[in-house]
Short mmCIF file of all heavy atoms in Angstrom, two decimals:
data_model
loop_
_atom_site.label_atom_id
_atom_site.label_comp_id
_atom_site.label_asym_id
_atom_site.label_seq_id
_atom_site.Cartn_x
_atom_site.Cartn_y
_atom_site.Cartn_z
N GLY Z 5 -7.53 11.67 -4.63
CA GLY Z 5 -7.17 12.06 -3.26
C GLY Z 5 -6.22 11.06 -2.62
O GLY Z 5 -5.24 11.44 -1.98
N ALA Z 6 -6.49 9.78 -2.80
CA ALA Z 6 -5.62 8.74 -2.25
C ALA Z 6 -4.23 8.81 -2.89
O ALA Z 6 -3.22 8.68 -2.19
CB ALA Z 6 -6.24 7.36 -2.47
N ALA Z 7 -4.19 9.03 -4.19
CA ALA Z 7 -2.91 9.12 -4.89
C ALA Z 7 -2.11 10.33 -4.41
O ALA Z 7 -0.89 10.24 -4.22
CB ALA Z 7 -3.13 9.21 -6.40
N VAL Z 8 -2.78 11.45 -4.19
CA VAL Z 8 -2.09 12.64 -3.68
C VAL Z 8 -1.48 12.33 -2.32
O VAL Z 8 -0.31 12.63 -2.06
CB VAL Z 8 -3.05 13.85 -3.61
CG1 VAL Z 8 -2.44 15.00 -2.81
CG2 VAL Z 8 -3.44 14.32 -5.01
N LEU Z 9 -2.27 11.72 -1.44
CA LEU Z 9 -1.76 11.40 -0.10
C LEU Z 9 -0.55 10.46 -0.16
O LEU Z 9 0.46 10.71 0.50
CB LEU Z 9 -2.87 10.76 0.74
CG LEU Z 9 -3.99 11.69 1.17
CD1 LEU Z 9 -5.15 10.88 1.76
CD2 LEU Z 9 -3.49 12.72 2.18
N LEU Z 10 -0.67 9.39 -0.93
CA LEU Z 10 0.44 8.43 -1.01
C LEU Z 10 1.64 9.02 -1.72
O LEU Z 10 2.79 8.75 -1.33
CB LEU Z 10 -0.03 7.15 -1.70
CG LEU Z 10 -1.00 6.30 -0.88
CD1 LEU Z 10 -1.49 5.11 -1.70
CD2 LEU Z 10 -0.37 5.84 0.43
N ASP Z 11 1.42 9.84 -2.73
CA ASP Z 11 2.53 10.48 -3.44
C ASP Z 11 3.27 11.43 -2.49
O ASP Z 11 4.50 11.49 -2.50
CB ASP Z 11 2.00 11.23 -4.66
CG ASP Z 11 3.08 11.66 -5.61
OD1 ASP Z 11 4.16 11.02 -5.66
OD2 ASP Z 11 2.87 12.64 -6.36
N ARG Z 12 2.55 12.13 -1.67
CA ARG Z 12 3.17 13.03 -0.70
C ARG Z 12 4.00 12.26 0.31
O ARG Z 12 4.94 12.81 0.91
CB ARG Z 12 2.12 13.87 0.01
CG ARG Z 12 1.51 14.94 -0.88
CD ARG Z 12 0.42 15.70 -0.18
NE ARG Z 12 -0.11 16.75 -1.04
CZ ARG Z 12 -1.14 17.51 -0.72
NH1 ARG Z 12 -1.74 17.38 0.46
NH2 ARG Z 12 -1.56 18.43 -1.56
N LEU Z 13 3.66 10.99 0.53
CA LEU Z 13 4.44 10.13 1.43
C LEU Z 13 5.54 9.39 0.68
O LEU Z 13 6.16 8.48 1.22
CB LEU Z 13 3.51 9.14 2.14
CG LEU Z 13 2.51 9.75 3.11
CD1 LEU Z 13 1.52 8.70 3.60
CD2 LEU Z 13 3.24 10.40 4.29
N ASP Z 14 5.76 9.77 -0.57
CA ASP Z 14 6.80 9.19 -1.43
C ASP Z 14 6.63 7.68 -1.62
O ASP Z 14 7.60 6.93 -1.63
CB ASP Z 14 8.19 9.52 -0.87
CG ASP Z 14 9.26 9.47 -1.95
OD1 ASP Z 14 8.94 9.71 -3.13
OD2 ASP Z 14 10.42 9.17 -1.61
N THR Z 15 5.38 7.26 -1.77
CA THR Z 15 5.07 5.85 -1.98
C THR Z 15 5.24 5.51 -3.45
O THR Z 15 4.74 6.22 -4.32
CB THR Z 15 3.61 5.55 -1.55
OG1 THR Z 15 3.45 5.98 -0.20
CG2 THR Z 15 3.28 4.08 -1.68
N GLU Z 16 5.94 4.43 -3.72
CA GLU Z 16 6.16 3.99 -5.09
C GLU Z 16 4.86 3.43 -5.67
O GLU Z 16 4.18 2.64 -4.99
CB GLU Z 16 7.24 2.91 -5.14
CG GLU Z 16 8.62 3.42 -4.85
CD GLU Z 16 9.14 4.36 -5.92
OE1 GLU Z 16 8.78 4.19 -7.10
OE2 GLU Z 16 9.89 5.27 -5.55
N PRO Z 17 4.52 3.78 -6.89
CA PRO Z 17 3.31 3.24 -7.51
C PRO Z 17 3.33 1.71 -7.57
O PRO Z 17 2.30 1.06 -7.39
CB PRO Z 17 3.31 3.83 -8.92
CG PRO Z 17 4.31 4.91 -8.93
CD PRO Z 17 5.22 4.73 -7.77
N ARG Z 18 4.50 1.13 -7.77
CA ARG Z 18 4.57 -0.34 -7.85
C ARG Z 18 4.21 -1.00 -6.52
O ARG Z 18 3.70 -2.11 -6.51
CB ARG Z 18 5.94 -0.79 -8.35
CG ARG Z 18 7.07 -0.52 -7.39
CD ARG Z 18 8.40 -1.05 -7.94
NE ARG Z 18 9.47 -0.69 -7.04
CZ ARG Z 18 10.38 0.23 -7.31
NH1 ARG Z 18 10.36 0.86 -8.46
NH2 ARG Z 18 11.32 0.49 -6.44
N SER Z 19 4.44 -0.31 -5.41
CA SER Z 19 4.05 -0.85 -4.10
C SER Z 19 2.53 -0.92 -3.98
O SER Z 19 1.97 -1.88 -3.45
CB SER Z 19 4.61 0.00 -2.97
OG SER Z 19 6.01 -0.01 -2.98
N VAL Z 20 1.86 0.12 -4.48
CA VAL Z 20 0.40 0.15 -4.44
C VAL Z 20 -0.17 -0.89 -5.41
O VAL Z 20 -1.14 -1.59 -5.08
CB VAL Z 20 -0.13 1.57 -4.76
CG1 VAL Z 20 -1.65 1.61 -4.70
CG2 VAL Z 20 0.48 2.60 -3.80
N ALA Z 21 0.46 -1.03 -6.57
CA ALA Z 21 0.01 -2.05 -7.53
C ALA Z 21 0.20 -3.46 -6.96
O ALA Z 21 -0.66 -4.33 -7.15
CB ALA Z 21 0.77 -1.90 -8.85
N TYR Z 22 1.28 -3.67 -6.25
CA TYR Z 22 1.50 -4.98 -5.62
C TYR Z 22 0.44 -5.24 -4.54
O TYR Z 22 -0.10 -6.35 -4.45
CB TYR Z 22 2.91 -5.04 -5.00
CG TYR Z 22 3.19 -6.37 -4.35
CD1 TYR Z 22 3.49 -7.48 -5.13
CD2 TYR Z 22 3.15 -6.51 -2.97
CE1 TYR Z 22 3.75 -8.71 -4.54
CE2 TYR Z 22 3.39 -7.73 -2.38
CZ TYR Z 22 3.69 -8.83 -3.17
OH TYR Z 22 3.93 -10.04 -2.57
N LEU Z 23 0.11 -4.22 -3.76
CA LEU Z 23 -0.94 -4.37 -2.76
C LEU Z 23 -2.27 -4.71 -3.43
O LEU Z 23 -3.03 -5.54 -2.92
CB LEU Z 23 -1.07 -3.09 -1.92
CG LEU Z 23 -2.12 -3.11 -0.83
CD1 LEU Z 23 -1.88 -4.23 0.18
CD2 LEU Z 23 -2.17 -1.74 -0.12
N ALA Z 24 -2.53 -4.13 -4.59
CA ALA Z 24 -3.75 -4.46 -5.34
C ALA Z 24 -3.77 -5.93 -5.70
O ALA Z 24 -4.82 -6.59 -5.61
CB ALA Z 24 -3.84 -3.60 -6.60
N GLU Z 25 -2.62 -6.48 -6.08
CA GLU Z 25 -2.56 -7.91 -6.42
C GLU Z 25 -2.75 -8.79 -5.18
O GLU Z 25 -3.36 -9.86 -5.25
CB GLU Z 25 -1.25 -8.24 -7.12
CG GLU Z 25 -1.15 -7.62 -8.51
CD GLU Z 25 -2.33 -8.00 -9.39
OE1 GLU Z 25 -2.73 -9.18 -9.44
OE2 GLU Z 25 -2.90 -7.09 -10.04
N VAL Z 26 -2.27 -8.33 -4.03
CA VAL Z 26 -2.50 -9.05 -2.78
C VAL Z 26 -4.00 -9.09 -2.48
O VAL Z 26 -4.56 -10.12 -2.11
CB VAL Z 26 -1.71 -8.42 -1.62
CG1 VAL Z 26 -2.13 -9.01 -0.27
CG2 VAL Z 26 -0.21 -8.58 -1.83
N VAL Z 27 -4.67 -7.95 -2.67
CA VAL Z 27 -6.12 -7.89 -2.45
C VAL Z 27 -6.83 -8.82 -3.42
O VAL Z 27 -7.74 -9.56 -3.03
CB VAL Z 27 -6.63 -6.44 -2.58
CG1 VAL Z 27 -8.16 -6.40 -2.65
CG2 VAL Z 27 -6.11 -5.58 -1.44
N ARG Z 28 -6.42 -8.81 -4.66
CA ARG Z 28 -7.06 -9.67 -5.67
C ARG Z 28 -6.87 -11.14 -5.31
O ARG Z 28 -7.78 -11.95 -5.44
CB ARG Z 28 -6.49 -9.39 -7.05
CG ARG Z 28 -7.25 -10.07 -8.17
CD ARG Z 28 -6.76 -9.71 -9.55
NE ARG Z 28 -6.57 -8.30 -9.82
CZ ARG Z 28 -7.53 -7.42 -10.09
NH1 ARG Z 28 -8.78 -7.80 -10.08
NH2 ARG Z 28 -7.25 -6.17 -10.35
N ALA Z 29 -5.70 -11.50 -4.81
CA ALA Z 29 -5.39 -12.90 -4.51
C ALA Z 29 -6.02 -13.38 -3.21
O ALA Z 29 -6.52 -14.50 -3.13
CB ALA Z 29 -3.88 -13.10 -4.46
N GLY Z 30 -5.99 -12.54 -2.17
CA GLY Z 30 -6.44 -13.00 -0.86
C GLY Z 30 -7.60 -12.25 -0.26
O GLY Z 30 -8.11 -12.63 0.78
N GLY Z 31 -7.98 -11.13 -0.87
CA GLY Z 31 -9.09 -10.34 -0.36
C GLY Z 31 -8.63 -9.19 0.51
O GLY Z 31 -7.49 -9.15 0.97
N VAL Z 32 -9.54 -8.25 0.73
CA VAL Z 32 -9.19 -7.06 1.51
C VAL Z 32 -8.92 -7.40 2.97
O VAL Z 32 -8.08 -6.78 3.61
CB VAL Z 32 -10.25 -5.94 1.40
CG1 VAL Z 32 -10.25 -5.33 0.03
CG2 VAL Z 32 -11.62 -6.40 1.79
N ARG Z 33 -9.60 -8.39 3.52
CA ARG Z 33 -9.37 -8.75 4.93
C ARG Z 33 -7.95 -9.25 5.11
O ARG Z 33 -7.26 -8.84 6.04
CB ARG Z 33 -10.39 -9.81 5.37
CG ARG Z 33 -10.16 -10.44 6.73
CD ARG Z 33 -9.92 -9.52 7.92
NE ARG Z 33 -10.78 -8.38 8.02
CZ ARG Z 33 -10.38 -7.21 8.55
NH1 ARG Z 33 -9.17 -7.03 9.02
NH2 ARG Z 33 -11.20 -6.19 8.61
N ALA Z 34 -7.49 -10.13 4.23
CA ALA Z 34 -6.12 -10.65 4.34
C ALA Z 34 -5.11 -9.52 4.19
O ALA Z 34 -4.11 -9.46 4.92
CB ALA Z 34 -5.88 -11.74 3.31
N ALA Z 35 -5.35 -8.60 3.26
CA ALA Z 35 -4.44 -7.48 3.05
C ALA Z 35 -4.45 -6.54 4.26
O ALA Z 35 -3.40 -6.03 4.66
CB ALA Z 35 -4.81 -6.73 1.78
N ALA Z 36 -5.63 -6.33 4.85
CA ALA Z 36 -5.72 -5.46 6.02
C ALA Z 36 -4.97 -6.04 7.22
O ALA Z 36 -4.49 -5.29 8.07
CB ALA Z 36 -7.18 -5.22 6.40
N ASP Z 37 -4.85 -7.35 7.26
CA ASP Z 37 -4.16 -8.01 8.37
C ASP Z 37 -2.64 -8.07 8.18
O ASP Z 37 -1.93 -8.52 9.08
CB ASP Z 37 -4.70 -9.42 8.56
CG ASP Z 37 -6.13 -9.42 9.10
OD1 ASP Z 37 -6.55 -8.38 9.67
OD2 ASP Z 37 -6.81 -10.44 8.95
N LEU Z 38 -2.13 -7.60 7.05
CA LEU Z 38 -0.69 -7.58 6.84
C LEU Z 38 -0.03 -6.63 7.85
O LEU Z 38 -0.57 -5.55 8.12
CB LEU Z 38 -0.35 -7.11 5.43
CG LEU Z 38 -0.70 -8.05 4.28
CD1 LEU Z 38 -0.49 -7.34 2.95
CD2 LEU Z 38 0.12 -9.32 4.36
N PRO Z 39 1.13 -7.00 8.38
CA PRO Z 39 1.79 -6.10 9.33
C PRO Z 39 2.24 -4.79 8.68
O PRO Z 39 2.29 -3.76 9.34
CB PRO Z 39 2.99 -6.91 9.83
CG PRO Z 39 3.13 -8.06 8.92
CD PRO Z 39 1.83 -8.26 8.20
N GLU Z 40 2.58 -4.82 7.40
CA GLU Z 40 3.02 -3.62 6.70
C GLU Z 40 2.53 -3.69 5.25
O GLU Z 40 3.26 -4.13 4.37
CB GLU Z 40 4.54 -3.49 6.75
CG GLU Z 40 5.03 -2.14 6.29
CD GLU Z 40 6.51 -1.95 6.52
OE1 GLU Z 40 7.30 -2.48 5.71
OE2 GLU Z 40 6.87 -1.30 7.50
N PRO Z 41 1.28 -3.23 4.99
CA PRO Z 41 0.74 -3.35 3.64
C PRO Z 41 1.49 -2.52 2.60
O PRO Z 41 1.46 -2.83 1.41
CB PRO Z 41 -0.71 -2.90 3.77
CG PRO Z 41 -0.79 -2.17 5.06
CD PRO Z 41 0.32 -2.66 5.92
N LEU Z 42 2.14 -1.46 3.03
CA LEU Z 42 2.98 -0.63 2.15
C LEU Z 42 4.26 -0.29 2.91
O LEU Z 42 4.25 -0.21 4.15
CB LEU Z 42 2.28 0.67 1.77
CG LEU Z 42 1.12 0.58 0.79
CD1 LEU Z 42 0.45 1.95 0.63
CD2 LEU Z 42 1.56 0.05 -0.56
N PRO Z 43 5.37 -0.10 2.18
CA PRO Z 43 6.59 0.34 2.85
C PRO Z 43 6.37 1.71 3.50
O PRO Z 43 5.55 2.49 3.06
CB PRO Z 43 7.61 0.44 1.72
CG PRO Z 43 7.05 -0.39 0.62
CD PRO Z 43 5.56 -0.32 0.75
N ARG Z 44 7.10 1.98 4.53
CA ARG Z 44 7.06 3.22 5.30
C ARG Z 44 5.85 3.22 6.23
O ARG Z 44 4.72 2.99 5.80
CB ARG Z 44 7.05 4.45 4.42
CG ARG Z 44 8.30 4.59 3.58
CD ARG Z 44 8.45 6.02 3.10
NE ARG Z 44 9.77 6.21 2.58
CZ ARG Z 44 10.05 6.32 1.28
NH1 ARG Z 44 9.10 6.30 0.40
NH2 ARG Z 44 11.30 6.48 0.90
N PRO Z 45 6.07 3.49 7.48
CA PRO Z 45 5.01 3.41 8.49
C PRO Z 45 3.78 4.29 8.20
O PRO Z 45 2.66 3.86 8.40
CB PRO Z 45 5.69 3.85 9.78
CG PRO Z 45 7.15 3.63 9.55
CD PRO Z 45 7.39 3.80 8.09
N GLU Z 46 4.00 5.52 7.72
CA GLU Z 46 2.87 6.43 7.47
C GLU Z 46 2.00 5.90 6.35
O GLU Z 46 0.77 5.93 6.44
CB GLU Z 46 3.36 7.84 7.14
CG GLU Z 46 4.15 8.50 8.24
CD GLU Z 46 5.64 8.15 8.20
OE1 GLU Z 46 6.09 7.44 7.27
OE2 GLU Z 46 6.37 8.58 9.11
N ALA Z 47 2.61 5.44 5.27
CA ALA Z 47 1.85 4.89 4.14
C ALA Z 47 1.16 3.59 4.54
O ALA Z 47 0.02 3.34 4.15
CB ALA Z 47 2.77 4.66 2.95
N ALA Z 48 1.83 2.76 5.34
CA ALA Z 48 1.24 1.51 5.79
C ALA Z 48 0.01 1.77 6.65
O ALA Z 48 -1.02 1.09 6.50
CB ALA Z 48 2.27 0.69 6.58
N ALA Z 49 0.09 2.76 7.53
CA ALA Z 49 -1.05 3.09 8.39
C ALA Z 49 -2.24 3.58 7.57
O ALA Z 49 -3.39 3.20 7.81
CB ALA Z 49 -0.65 4.13 9.43
#
């Protein structure tokens, strides 16, 4: 379901994979506090 939503927003898989590495390195709280966790405002929200 998440992949369908992000794919419909034309989100690059590598952007999501990079976000996963941010979570792995700093945790979900640090990633949640990013001003733009993914490119494009809709995907970031």
Side-chain angles (χ1 to χ4, degrees):
V8 168
L9 289 169
L10 290 175
D11 193 26
R12 288 177 178 175
L13 293 172
D14 203 28
T15 305
E16 290 293 328
R18 67 178 176 252
S19 297
V20 181
Y22 181 76
L23 181 59
E25 291 306 314
V26 170
V27 169
R28 190 175 312 282
V32 290
R33 171 50 44 212
D37 290 341
L38 291 172
E40 191 172 79
L42 288 174
R44 297 199 167 107
E46 298 86 3

